[in-house]
Amino acid sequence: MIARAFFATFKAILSDRPAFLLLGVSFVLYSFFYPSAYTGQVAVRLPLVVVDLDNSASSRSLAVKIGATQQARVVARAPSLNEAQILLEDERATAIVLIPSGFGDEIRAGGQGVVSLYGNGAYLLRSGAALSGVATSLGALAVESAKDQARTLGAPAANPLKVIERPLFNTREGYGSTVVPGVVFLIVHQTLLMGLALLAATLREAQGRTKFPLRTFLGIALAFFVLGVAEVFYFSGFVFWLQDYPRGAGRLGDLLLSGGLFVSATIAGALALGSFFRTRERPVQIWIITSLPIYFLSGLSWPIEAMPHWLAVFRRLFPTSSGIQVMIGLNQMGAPLSNLWPDLANLFGLTAAYGVIAVCRLVDFSGGAGLSSLTKGRIALSQKALSGADER
Amino acid sequence: MRAFASSFVRELDFLSRNFWDRAMVSWFPAMLLGILAWVFGAGVVRDLPIVLVDQDQTQISRELGLRLDAAPAIHVVASILDFGEAKQFVQARKAYVVVLIPSGASREILQGNSAAIEVFYNASYSTASGALLRDVNSVIEDYSAKLAMRQTAALQPSGVRPPPIKVQSTLLFNPQRSYEFQLVSLLHPALLHLAFMIAVTSALGRELRDRTIGEWLCERWSTVPAIAGKIAPYILIFMGWSLVVTVYLAKFRGWPIQGRVSLLILAYLCMYTAYSAIALALVGVTRSMMQSLSVAGIYAGASFAFTGAIFPIQSASGFARVWSQILPFTWFTKVLNGQWSMAGPPEVAIGYIGILCLFTGLGTLIGLPGYINAATQPAVWGRR
């Protein structure tokens, strides 16, 4: 009975083209399409504009040295800050180095020359980190420039502390590898949720609220579970390998367990939610507009610690929130399951809670609809539409 | 004009009678806009957890720990000796950064050498780690300068001088480094254009699905104003939402518009018209509500990633650059960035708005004949 419902579910998916596109095709399409947005490489050398208002020997030598650092390349020299700003607005440069007039005199007199570095805050996420790199390398140049000063005044204060930055885990730090490995589990979630809801809504529109025997219900859930686990492995195995994202840091068994929990929570939620839809097209509408907020609630691109407390609690209602964290933990950070237990427990809790709702809404313990209704929903809907047209 | 007005009233009447269709243009997008506003409401990140591995255990290392904890973005959740244990904190997401002070650091400093402080950051969480790195760096730099002064004073009391060059780092156009401004100003229109496109695609496709297109577009000579009258309520509603989110950020959250508000509003209007035309093209070509919605999802669903406003699209693959350019939202964000924070030249913004109008023209050209034609072909009606 479970097995027959299992196969009937796949038959239902295959016989409904939009559902098949959503459940069987869209994630493959997305797996190639979405990462392409992030193929841009992290700018190794930040394009800079130098504004030298001092025009002294010291300032010129500093400008030359800036161009020779690893973090930056000088793309233009501008006579004033205003003109440099235009280059910034045109995106021809990412930052401006301003050497004020009097800079050389100040250094020769044994004082401190101040160099200003301006980044483009309109592109905060891009320029924030890169800018601090340039600032650090400018600071290092200071020591070299100090040699002139040292000849006359003696050595200046040394730098007692220096910082060495080392990335942990996602060591390539590409744009793609920080976003896509999280987003793909949102894609898994949204396609499963809305594909299932689409089929459920079609059934409901065609023949009203339908309840199934428990075994049929389990067969349906199992079919979607298998589909979901296959998607998780398709992304964690094939796509991450193809795109060369960090992967395989955790154990395969851990991945199977966690991926399975994430998919079960998603399927349980989809069954519970799907039972409420009454119009076939509605799930597609919802799928498109909810993805952005659900992604930012996951806590990958915006730290959970910075969210208001109630949102930090509310976000746990979405399987993606814990799912993305767990999968990043396993695929990128190689975390043992013991470190991920709060999120795993949450996924388990969601499976149970949504599962109970789904059973209450969809299971009839004293019988319920036959298997044939599974695949006939769409046909019934078309016939209904036709007869409606005849009446008109 | 009569066809426009009657179509307009007919659509409003439909919305007033259908709770869920009304929800999709009213409280549902409002709720999502609200969630996004709340997520980033803090704007700047504060008190993110880090772990200190102090293997030096001297007064200097302890003071560095205190100074780190005092920085706004940083909260030292643990100070331990074992680096392996610290890594566990990061794997369990109880810390984003580990600052390692190696043993013998203060001896190096007292001998007049440099001690290397190692800062390990979780690159899987780039926003949190980036904010922390900035603060960790500036704390260490400051403390380093203090130590240098103290030390030089001890060695040669007469000759204390600051390092000869100081770097002041400023962000133009967003000096507060506010993620709220950067992200919410883009995420709100991103959500709005998706909700708008879904609403218009559904409105146009619904007439085919429900077999009502024939009686609605029965008068051949007035089809164009009738279609415009159907789309107009959605443009009005979403212009309303655009004003709400703009006022929210500009007035209530304190991110005033540096350029011209009128250009921003015009850009919103032209973006919505462009997406109406694209919706018309999708429905006109597929002649199915379901299919046009699915295609709309693929086409616009990921436009936030392809704008290039968050990640540089210029250096991405050719496909990504082309895809970015065929999305009206990309051009809209150029106007928004130029006018909101940079007070960019109006001519440039008007150029981008012109491109938005091109989409409108092209979409109408592709979609209008097919859609009007479908009104006289009952065979294509009712597809689910």
Side-chain angles (χ1 to χ4, degrees):
Chain A
M1 189 70 174
I2 292 182
R4 277 175 55 209
F6 178 84
F7 290 115
T9 307
F10 278 109
K11 209 172 141 198
I13 295 171
L14 284 170
S15 62
D16 187 331
R17 199 162 66 139
F20 176 66
L21 285 177
L22 205 52
L23 287 164
V25 178
S26 66
F27 72 92
V28 181
L29 207 64
Y30 265 115
S31 70
F32 290 98
F33 161 70
Y34 196 80
S36 76
Y38 298 98
T39 44
Q41 285 311 302
V42 180
V44 182
R45 301 184 73 192
L46 215 59
L48 289 182
V49 194
V50 173
V51 183
D52 184 357
L53 298 177
D54 188 43
N55 231 341
S56 66
S58 319
S59 71
R60 276 194 299 273
S61 104
L62 182 69
V64 170
K65 281 175 187 156
I66 292 169
T69 58
Q70 258 190 354
Q71 288 82 359
R73 66 196 156 92
V74 177
V75 288
R77 286 164 197 280
S80 71
L81 189 60
N82 274 338
E83 281 172 51
Q85 211 162 312
I86 292 170
L87 292 173
L88 213 61
E89 282 163 16
D90 288 354
E91 299 186 37
R92 272 182 277 172
T94 334
I96 304 170
V97 179
L98 176 79
I99 308 174
S101 64
F103 172 82
D105 294 340
E106 190 66 42
I107 291 187
R108 268 193 301 279
Q112 193 173 38
V114 178
V115 178
S116 297
L117 181 64
Y118 296 97
N120 190 344
Y123 298 99
L124 185 65
L125 293 173
R126 267 202 241 166
S127 53
L131 210 58
S132 66
V134 175
T136 314
S137 77
L138 277 177
L141 284 182
V143 181
E144 285 182 43
S145 312
K147 282 176 190 156
D148 299 336
Q149 203 183 34
R151 274 182 215 126
T152 50
L153 294 164
N159 220 4
L161 295 174
K162 62 172 187 253
V163 178
I164 300 171
E165 291 179 2
R166 293 187 201 284
L168 284 170
F169 312 124
N170 175 24
T171 47
R172 300 271 301 268
E173 294 187 83
Y175 293 116
S177 65
T178 50
V179 178
V180 182
V183 169
V184 296
F185 297 104
L186 177 72
I187 295 173
V188 172
H189 175 266
Q190 296 291 79
T191 53
L192 281 177
L193 183 66
M194 297 311 166
L196 199 159
L198 187 153
L199 288 171
T202 307
L203 209 60
R204 179 149 184 204
E205 207 180 331
Q207 53 196 41
R209 259 188 87 173
T210 312
K211 287 199 171 193
F212 298 98
L214 182 64
R215 287 167 172 228
T216 309
F217 172 84
L218 289 176
I220 298 172
L222 193 65
F224 281 100
F225 179 78
V226 168
L227 197 62
V229 171
E231 283 189 45
V232 167
F233 275 88
Y234 170 75
F235 282 116
S236 305
F238 176 68
V239 176
F240 292 177
W241 166 78
L242 185 72
Q243 303 284 348
D244 200 14
Y245 293 148
R247 63 195 174 272
R251 287 202 306 253
L252 193 65
D254 291 356
L255 189 68
L256 191 64
L257 179 75
S258 310
L261 262 179
F262 164 61
V263 174
S264 349
T266 304
I267 300 299
L271 286 165
L273 189 72
S275 68
F276 288 93
F277 280 98
R278 279 179 231 163
T279 315
R280 182 172 153 79
E281 288 81 6
R282 191 79 65 211
V284 181
Q285 300 175 328
I286 306 254
W287 153 60
I288 297 168
I289 60 173
T290 49
S291 299
L292 270 180
I294 294 181
Y295 173 71
F296 281 101
L297 282 174
S298 77
L300 182 62
S301 286
W302 182 248
I304 302 160
E305 291 85 353
M307 293 178 199
H309 183 68
W310 72 269
L311 267 182
V313 176
F314 172 73
R315 62 180 277 286
R316 293 196 200 133
L317 291 176
F318 299 95
T320 42
S321 300
S322 293
I324 288 176
Q325 302 280 2
V326 168
M327 296 318 266
I328 292 285
L330 284 175
N331 284 320
Q332 302 203 345
M333 294 152 65
L337 288 186
S338 57
N339 279 340
L340 302 170
W341 72 265
D343 283 318
L344 291 172
N346 187 43
L347 287 174
F348 187 78
L350 289 180
T351 310
Y354 291 145
V356 167
I357 299 176
V359 167
C360 289
R361 304 244 340 142
L362 295 170
V363 174
D364 185 349
F365 288 97
S366 60
L371 271 181
S372 58
S373 66
L374 259 183
T375 38
K376 293 207 174 112
R378 179 131 188 264
I379 300 159
L381 198 62
S382 307
Q383 279 164 353
K384 211 170 169 181
L386 276 177
S387 64
D390 292 343
E391 281 160 30
R392 219 171 271 131
Chain B
M1 200 56 218
R2 207 172 46 82
F4 180 90
S6 72
S7 230
F8 189 92
V9 173
R10 184 170 168 274
E11 194 64 21
L12 286 183
D13 182 54
F14 172 85
L15 286 177
S16 72
R17 280 184 292 107
N18 289 277
F19 177 80
W20 283 104
D21 288 278
R22 194 165 67 241
M24 293 300 289
V25 297
S26 57
W27 60 265
F28 195 68
M31 187 182 78
L32 299 177
L33 291 169
I35 288 177
L36 286 173
W38 262 308
V39 166
F40 299 102
V44 288
V45 285
R46 294 188 161 274
D47 293 330
L48 293 178
I50 75 165
V51 172
L52 188 68
V53 179
D54 182 359
Q55 295 173 339
D56 192 43
Q57 295 284 345
T58 58
Q59 197 203 337
I60 288 179
S61 69
R62 276 190 293 273
E63 190 178 342
L64 181 59
L66 290 176
R67 282 168 178 266
L68 283 170
D69 200 27
I74 304 172
H75 173 50
V76 179
V77 284
S79 181
I80 49 185
L81 284 170
D82 178 30
F83 180 69
E85 196 185 331
K87 211 167 160 183
Q88 297 271 317
F89 270 84
V90 181
Q91 280 181 337
R93 250 183 333 100
K94 288 179 187 155
Y96 293 103
V97 164
V98 178
V99 176
L100 174 75
I101 309 174
S103 63
S106 44
R107 200 180 56 237
E108 289 287 330
I109 294 166
L110 293 174
Q111 284 171 355
N113 299 325
S114 277
I117 309 292
E118 290 187 84
V119 181
F120 297 86
Y121 57 100
N122 187 348
S124 293
Y125 293 80
S126 57
T127 314
S129 297
L132 279 168
L133 275 182
R134 220 163 29 236
D135 268 25
V136 168
N137 270 320
S138 80
V139 166
I140 295 180
E141 213 170 284
D142 270 12
Y143 188 41
S144 181
K146 288 260 157 53
L147 285 173
M149 298 287 266
R150 241 186 260 166
Q151 203 182 331
T152 322
L155 294 174
Q156 40 179 130
S158 58
V160 181
R161 285 191 292 111
I165 297 182
K166 184 178 160 69
V167 183
Q168 268 178 351
S169 192
T170 317
L171 279 181
L172 291 173
F173 316 125
N174 184 1
Q176 294 89 338
R177 291 178 188 276
S178 166
Y179 291 96
E180 180 188 25
F181 173 63
Q182 155 94 96
L183 285 167
V184 177
S185 69
L186 290 168
L187 279 169
H188 276 164
L191 197 100
L192 283 173
H193 91 271
L194 286 174
F196 176 82
M197 199 183 174
I198 292 314
V200 173
T201 309
S202 303
L204 293 171
R206 200 173 53 230
E207 301 290 348
L208 281 164
R209 182 194 71 183
D210 298 345
R211 301 161 180 276
T212 46
I213 189 167
E215 59 196 77
W216 167 53
L217 289 183
C218 53
E219 291 171 65
R220 232 20 213 175
W221 50 272
S222 65
T223 45
V224 175
I227 293 169
K230 186 177 183 64
I231 296 171
Y234 296 102
I235 294 194
L236 274 181
I237 293 169
F238 279 86
M239 283 307 286
W241 285 124
S242 308
L243 279 179
V244 168
V245 296
T246 309
V247 168
Y248 165 76
L249 217 50
K251 292 275 176 257
F252 292 97
R253 305 296 305 172
W255 304 105
I257 297 168
Q258 307 295 334
R260 299 186 187 194
V261 184
S262 53
L263 282 174
L264 184 62
I265 301 293
L266 186 65
Y268 261 117
L269 182 66
C270 293
M271 175 177 75
Y272 289 137
T273 349
Y275 278 108
S276 311
I278 292 167
L280 183 65
L282 293 182
V283 181
V285 170
T286 65
R287 296 179 173 191
S288 147
M289 177 176 178
M290 190 62 159
Q291 271 187 39
S292 48
L293 276 174
S294 307
V295 179
I298 303 274
Y299 170 71
S303 42
F304 185 73
F306 282 90
T307 58
I310 303 292
F311 296 102
I313 203 84
Q314 292 90 340
S315 56
S317 69
F319 167 79
R321 268 176 290 145
V322 171
W323 193 265
S324 159
Q325 280 170 3
I326 59 163
L327 295 167
F329 183 66
T330 303
W331 304 100
F332 170 81
T333 57
K334 287 181 192 284
V335 179
L336 183 129
N337 268 329
Q339 292 305 308
W340 201 319
S341 50
M342 301 197 228
E347 317 83 74
V348 177
I350 289 167
Y352 294 144
I353 290 173
I355 295 174
L356 288 175
C357 296
L358 278 181
F359 281 102
T360 313
L362 203 66
T364 314
L365 221 61
I366 296 172
L368 197 61
Y371 191 65
I372 294 175
N373 195 1
T376 56
Q377 294 181 354
V380 301
W381 300 349
R383 282 192 202 160
R384 298 303 295 267

